[in-house]
Amino acid sequence: MKRLLSTALVCLAACTTSLTLPAFAQSAKQRSAVQGTTPYAERSEAMQLAADIAARRDLPLDWVQATLGQARFLPQVPRLMTPAPQGTAKNWNAYRGRFIDPVRIRAGVRFWQTHAAALARAEREYGVPAEIIVGIIGVETVYGQQMGNFRVIDALATLSFDFPQAHPRAAARTEYFRGELEQFLSFTHRGGMDPFALLGSYAGAMGLGQFMPSSWVKWAVDFDGNDHIDLFSSPVDAIGSVANYFIAHGWKPGMPTHYPVALNAAPEQMAELLAPDILPTFTPERMLALGARPQPPGDTHNGPLALVELQNGGAAPLYIAGTENFYAITRYNWSSYYALSVIELGEEVKAAREAARKR
């Protein structure tokens, strides 16, 4: 049975940190003078959450409070979480260009060549195409080159207690990140890991596939068979874990992700077609009746479809008919732009690899 936790989770340099309350409180006070915020060790809501986590997870109270008390407020993180102003035009071509470029494609070809056996096994065992896994890891971290430089404990504490209130879903997002903080504290303690050594994104995502703590606990797998999970320095574990994540989120082996679509819809029909957003809702017949014709073989697709709109700034939008597998990719990141970037990067890497093999 694949194990979800291990004392040898990451191959990062370990550091020994004193967790005595006077020491961390003093350093926190010094930091607060620079950062302009009360240290978490002195914030009642932080220490109360630490007590709740300790009770729920059967963790040592002094360890949880000391660990959370040493977390640092990161002022740039709330800014990064603040949504763009309303009215900001989306641009698919510009978004695509951030992720699909010669440097990333070449890195993807090297990654695929190096880990061809693991990618083939993941495709065989999970039914997730190698190019989708390659696309995810490429978009997320350029195949491990950019896994994030934020201490995960700092990012999660900042988002748990200082999430930007201007965000339209501030309350829900705060609760989400407090749940991720709880998962992080639990699995680092039980795995014997240093919670201050793990680095990730400003949202607290970790490793080649940028798994949040709850995703790591639920869906990460030991795919290289060495009895522990390491999403930081084991690309094979990352490959298997990404595939397992997709199966858990509704991936259907053998199903395409999307089809081209021809539009001849009236405004009121377009409103109906776009109302469900990226959630597959319509049969091909219903889409056709509303003026959107999925191109073959999409016109005989067995399952629901969504009309997905990708805006292009001042130019005409791109429309595709997204399947349940397109929707599954958006469970990784709730964005049709993200999902299509993953798909197209994977396709570009696959084509470049095949061209290189023929030379």
Side-chain angles (χ1 to χ4, degrees):
M1 180 176 179
K2 296 181 174 78
R3 295 170 56 189
L4 292 178
L5 295 176
S6 166
T7 57
L9 179 63
V10 294
C11 298
L12 298 175
C15 62
T16 302
T17 306
S18 170
L19 295 182
T20 57
L21 288 174
F24 86 72
Q26 183 178 14
S27 62
K29 287 180 180 179
Q30 293 170 346
R31 289 195 299 270
S32 69
V34 176
Q35 296 169 341
T37 185
T38 304
Y40 294 118
E42 297 179 8
R43 290 176 61 168
S44 60
E45 71 271 31
M47 292 300 97
Q48 182 58 57
L49 180 62
D52 295 342
I53 290 172
R56 280 194 297 267
R57 299 282 177 163
D58 192 24
L59 298 173
L61 174 60
D62 58 348
W63 181 87
V64 179
Q65 290 187 324
T67 302
L68 184 52
Q70 289 188 87
R72 301 168 184 164
F73 170 71
L74 301 177
Q76 65 272 48
V77 167
R79 292 197 295 269
L80 290 167
M81 277 290 173
T82 302
Q86 289 188 353
T88 302
K90 296 180 179 180
N91 190 314
W92 159 240
N93 285 324
Y95 186 99
R96 184 186 190 277
R98 291 166 50 194
F99 300 107
I100 303 174
D101 58 61
V103 171
R104 206 174 299 241
I105 292 168
R106 286 194 297 270
V109 171
R110 291 193 298 270
F111 182 85
W112 197 326
Q113 290 171 337
T114 302
H115 304 291
L119 287 161
R121 182 161 65 93
E123 183 166 344
R124 184 171 62 252
E125 294 182 8
Y126 292 98
V128 180
E131 60 266 29
I132 296 296
I133 301 171
V134 168
I136 285 284
I137 297 175
V139 166
E140 290 290 342
T141 64
V142 197
Y143 308 101
Q145 296 179 38
Q146 299 173 7
M147 292 190 285
N149 296 312
F150 295 88
R151 288 200 320 182
V152 174
I153 184 69
D154 298 335
L156 293 176
T158 299
L159 292 168
S160 294
F161 303 107
D162 294 289
F163 194 88
Q165 292 306 298
H167 194 284
R169 299 178 59 237
R173 298 304 287 165
T174 294
E175 285 305 305
Y176 167 77
F177 284 110
R178 289 187 178 188
E180 294 298 327
L181 176 62
E182 180 170 338
Q183 289 277 19
F184 180 77
L185 290 167
S186 178
F187 85 68
T188 53
H189 183 271
R190 298 190 193 287
M193 295 172 285
D194 179 359
F196 302 103
L198 304 185
L199 304 180
S201 75
Y202 67 85
M206 299 173 284
L208 279 87
Q210 293 290 276
F211 271 34
M212 293 298 290
S214 61
S215 295
W216 193 311
V217 170
K218 294 175 184 176
W219 299 299
V221 297
D222 170 25
F223 205 55
D224 62 13
N226 67 351
D227 292 330
H228 69 267
I229 296 168
D230 179 358
L231 302 188
F232 287 96
S233 56
S234 173
V236 175
D237 282 356
I239 287 166
S241 298
V242 169
N244 189 48
Y245 183 97
F246 276 124
I247 288 298
H249 287 80
W251 183 272
K252 299 190 180 323
M255 177 180 287
T257 57
H258 65 287
Y259 304 102
V261 61
L263 281 177
N264 186 27
E268 63 274 11
Q269 292 174 314
M270 284 296 294
E272 182 176 345
L273 285 164
L274 294 174
D277 196 17
I278 54 180
L279 180 66
T281 304
F282 304 102
T283 63
E285 294 77 16
R286 181 57 183 162
M287 287 190 77
L288 178 59
L290 291 170
R293 179 191 293 274
Q295 299 300 285
D299 55 345
T300 59
H301 177 76
N302 183 23
L305 297 169
L307 182 66
V308 178
E309 179 185 70
L310 297 105
Q311 298 174 13
N312 263 318
L318 170 68
Y319 292 97
I320 59 174
T323 71
E324 291 165 287
N325 279 353
F326 187 91
Y327 186 75
I329 298 174
T330 68
R331 301 312 84 203
Y332 216 99
N333 182 317
W334 194 288
S335 166
S336 55
Y337 298 80
Y338 172 89
L340 195 54
S341 291
V342 165
I343 294 164
E344 295 199 357
L345 175 61
E347 290 173 345
E348 293 281 354
V349 172
K350 182 178 181 179
R353 177 173 179 263
E354 291 174 351
R357 293 169 69 183
K358 292 176 181 177
R359 287 199 293 266

